[in-house]
Amino acid sequence: MKLSEMKQLLVERDIQLTKSLGQNFLHDANQLRRILAVAELKQADRVLEIGPGLGPLTELLAEQVGEVLAIEKDARLVAVLKERFKVGQASRLSASDEGTGGTPILRLLHDDALDYLKRDARDWSEWKMVANLPFSVASPLLVELALAARGPERMVGTLQIEVAKRLHAEPGAPDYGVLTLLVQLNYEPQPWFKIPPSCFFPEPDVDSACFCLVRREPPPLTDDQRGVFIRLVKRSFSQRRKMMLKLLKQDWPQPRLAQEFERLNLSPQIRAEKVSREQFIQLARNLTEAPAA
Ligand code: SAM
């Protein structure tokens, strides 16, 4: 989809873009191709797209995979998408609000994707997520999918470069924190690449990046242990400069914590920013067990 087509659609419909919905549309064909290559799409794939906008990514996805579920919050864009995909690509695509009427290749939902994901805790394990994410909700959306009991096999998309760096951060780095650990628990980050503002319309104020997360097999923690991991990470980073053991005393008894820190060879003075994903995982496993006699 060319930039001129995007502008024309917006003018024809008198659509003024909404900054709070992160409406920066990706028109650079080269970058779209690179994103799709990272997604390693196959004809049998099912793809969840969050925020299809005017559909530049949607149309390419629908050419390459078996099913696309696209969730868009802005009713004006949903109307454009319905028209574009029904009329333009009738032989390949059909749009449906309810997903009824045969087996549509493209299902289009008018909804807030975050609300939808929270409401509908479905099994995404045989899906991929591919999206140019709305910046304002990119992190909560990723966390929601990454911590789902059965999350997508691969998640690929664009977001602010600062957030991509946080997804990849190593212990001790300033970007390392809650987002890093909640996403990396079940997903292995792959190398990211930068996408300049000029590839979007309108141009965002910040650089973007294409990220890729691949689900780890098998999942490192059980459902119960995952709950403990989330609690541990959030509490440990609630005051970054404070000693982790002191913060955790709000949730677990001090003697138990002291015992588990010693078992893992963790200094009682250590701060959360120095504790690795593997150490948080082991601590979550140990704290889920009954205390040692
Ligand atoms: N995929 C299109 C593209 O590449 O040009 C648009 C991407 S634009 C960065 C983000 C899109 O997400 C916008 O269309 C916006 O309306 C939509 N959006 C924003 N918040 C949303 C939400 N909570 N749920 C679903 N869509 C949302």
Side-chain angles (χ1 to χ4, degrees):
M1 186 177 196
K2 293 198 189 102
L3 175 57
S4 54
E5 285 175 73
M6 285 185 174
K7 287 183 172 169
Q8 192 185 341
L9 271 175
L10 295 172
V11 169
E12 276 169 13
R13 309 279 182 138
D14 195 22
I15 296 175
Q16 310 291 325
L17 294 177
T18 310
K19 207 169 177 181
S20 63
L21 287 178
Q23 292 179 336
N24 302 96
F25 301 134
L26 186 54
H27 57 78
D28 186 290
N30 194 30
Q31 301 294 352
L32 285 162
R33 263 196 302 276
R34 290 177 82 194
I35 294 169
L36 293 176
V38 173
E40 297 186 359
L41 299 173
K42 295 185 291 294
Q43 184 60 52
D45 281 343
R46 310 170 85 189
V47 173
L48 168 67
E49 186 191 4
I50 293 170
L54 294 169
L57 191 56
T58 322
E59 66 186 349
L60 300 175
L61 287 170
E63 279 166 19
Q64 296 188 24
V65 304
E67 184 179 345
V68 179
L69 170 61
I71 309 177
E72 173 57 58
K73 184 169 178 171
D74 188 330
R76 303 168 304 171
L77 301 178
V78 173
V80 175
L81 289 166
K82 276 186 172 174
E83 205 169 292
R84 270 197 78 204
F85 289 115
K86 264 186 200 159
V87 175
Q89 317 260 333
S91 58
R92 273 284 287 151
L93 301 176
S94 58
S96 158
D97 268 338
E98 290 85 31
T100 53
T103 51
I105 291 168
L106 172 65
R107 284 185 60 208
L108 182 61
L109 290 183
H110 175 214
D111 207 339
D112 180 307
L114 191 55
D115 290 349
Y116 176 83
L117 293 176
K118 285 179 190 283
R119 228 176 29 234
D120 196 354
R122 65 194 275 182
D123 181 350
W124 295 105
S125 58
E126 293 185 2
W127 289 70
K128 290 177 176 172
M129 196 281 293
V130 184
N132 173 17
L133 290 171
F135 284 179
S136 53
V137 282
S139 303
L141 280 165
L142 274 182
V143 167
E144 190 65 31
L145 283 167
L147 289 176
R150 302 179 70 77
E153 62 182 79
R154 182 175 282 248
M155 298 198 268
V156 175
T158 61
L159 36 65
Q160 305 98 301
I161 212 163
E162 282 67 30
V163 181
K165 287 181 183 165
R166 284 161 64 201
L167 297 180
H168 281 255
E170 299 282 343
D175 293 324
Y176 183 72
V178 176
L179 180 68
T180 320
L181 285 157
L182 297 188
V183 169
Q184 284 195 14
L185 171 65
N186 291 327
Y187 286 82
E188 175 128 34
Q190 310 297 308
W192 55 269
F193 61 86
K194 185 171 154 180
I195 304 185
S198 59
C199 298
F200 298 87
F201 175 77
E203 292 191 16
D205 301 331
V206 293
D207 279 330
S208 305
C210 173
F211 68 92
C212 175
L213 300 165
V214 176
R215 193 179 61 213
R216 300 177 196 269
E217 296 294 350
L221 296 178
T222 63
D223 289 355
D224 284 353
Q225 291 168 341
R226 190 171 64 247
V228 172
F229 177 92
I230 296 168
R231 203 163 137 210
L232 264 175
V233 168
K234 288 188 173 168
R235 181 63 78 193
S236 301
F237 280 93
S238 59
Q239 293 178 69
R240 218 179 153 90
R241 295 276 132 221
K242 268 203 164 179
M243 285 185 258
M244 177 169 152
L245 187 62
K246 284 200 168 157
L247 292 167
L248 292 177
K249 278 195 310 192
Q250 296 173 64
D251 295 300
W252 286 274
Q254 151 86 23
R256 178 80 196 273
L257 290 168
Q259 186 188 34
E260 298 303 348
F261 268 55
E262 201 183 323
R263 248 174 109 186
L264 292 178
N265 232 353
L266 284 173
S267 156
Q269 275 82 40
I270 200 163
R271 295 194 177 94
E273 60 196 10
K274 300 275 186 209
V275 177
S276 69
R277 167 187 171 272
E278 290 71 20
Q279 287 170 318
F280 269 109
I281 286 178
Q282 199 49 54
L283 199 51
R285 285 192 189 122
N286 294 356
L287 285 169
T288 313
E289 289 168 11

